[in-house]
């Protein structure tokens, strides 16, 4: 098994399914016997504010946060400021 960790950032606005999308991605990776970590930021999500979720999976993952500049995939459901 490869030691590479795949980093996915999912971003959008409250009510667009960002957290559900990250749950689905994490569940799929988990069910393929990979180590999965997930982190989410949803402070103002109920009022249409920005929401982001990091999903990392691989043979061994230590942190749920995608390091700056190391995202492999970005799923953007709305035009927002990226970090």
């Amino acid at each position: 098994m490869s030691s590479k960790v795949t980093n996915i950032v999912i971003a959008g606005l409250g009510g667009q399914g960002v957290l559900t999308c990250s749950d689905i991605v994490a569940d799929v990776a988990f069910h393929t016997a990979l180590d999965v970590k997930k982190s989410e930021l949803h402070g103002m999500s109920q009022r249409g504010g920005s929401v982001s979720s990091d999903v990392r999976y691989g043979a061994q993952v230590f942190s749920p946060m995608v390091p700056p500049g190391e995202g492999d995939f970005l799923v953007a459901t709305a035009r927002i400021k990226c970090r």
Side-chain angles (χ1 to χ4, degrees):
M1 184 181 294
S2 171
S3 62
K4 175 162 175 18
V5 173
T6 300
N7 299 302
I8 302 173
V9 177
I10 303 167
L13 300 174
Q16 293 184 320
V18 171
L19 303 181
T20 300
C21 182
S22 65
D23 285 343
I24 292 169
V25 171
D27 283 347
V28 168
F30 178 78
H31 287 293
T32 58
L34 294 169
D35 187 20
V36 181
K37 302 288 187 281
K38 184 176 75 126
S39 172
E40 46 193 54
L41 176 64
H42 52 86
M44 295 297 288
S45 63
Q46 293 180 348
R47 298 176 186 226
S50 64
V51 180
S52 68
S53 183
D54 292 356
V55 180
R56 304 183 77 214
Y57 61 86
Q60 189 170 30
V61 180
F62 295 104
S63 170
M65 303 295 293
V66 173
E70 292 189 25
D72 296 306
F73 300 98
L74 170 63
V75 178
T77 61
R79 182 177 280 216
I80 62 172
K81 270 188 166 179
C82 294
R83 40 185 161 124

